[in-house]
Amino acid sequence: MPAYMVNEYYIFTSFEDMSSLIHDIIHYSLLPEQQQHHSFSVLTGCLDKQALQFKSDQGYSIPVRYESEDDIYYSL
């Protein structure tokens, strides 16, 4: 299934959920004093829920774990 990995950690299968996270971080979190802007990286790819792997469009295969409480996948 298509997926997005944000900052090499969070994995989303919904563009809307990913956008919501980035929106919330930008609007509701405070930057450390030494930073002047937020920075995000987004990898596109596919999430294999059976194998617990995120396979990026660039060919990387990244192991993930699922947290049922938060209903989200994270990279290991």
Side-chain angles (χ1 to χ4, degrees):
M1 98 179 4
Y4 308 91
M5 179 181 277
V6 177
N7 291 350
E8 299 178 3
Y9 188 65
Y10 299 103
I11 295 122
F12 296 93
T13 56
S14 159
F15 184 81
E16 291 78 15
D17 290 345
M18 179 194 68
S19 298
S20 179
L21 170 77
I22 292 172
H23 173 273
D24 290 351
I25 290 171
I26 290 171
H27 291 284
Y28 302 114
S29 67
L30 297 175
L31 286 169
E33 289 183 25
Q34 65 273 22
Q35 280 185 296
Q36 295 183 8
H37 63 276
H38 292 282
S39 178
F40 300 95
S41 68
V42 178
L43 290 174
T44 57
C46 293
L47 176 63
D48 183 339
K49 291 182 177 183
Q50 297 284 80
L52 290 176
Q53 292 282 319
F54 175 82
K55 295 179 179 151
S56 75
D57 291 342
Q58 292 82 15
Y60 302 112
S61 185
I62 302 162
V64 301
R65 66 185 167 91
Y66 177 70
E67 288 291 331
S68 58
E69 276 187 38
D70 298 328
D71 189 31
I72 194 165
Y73 290 86
Y74 299 96
S75 65
L76 294 177

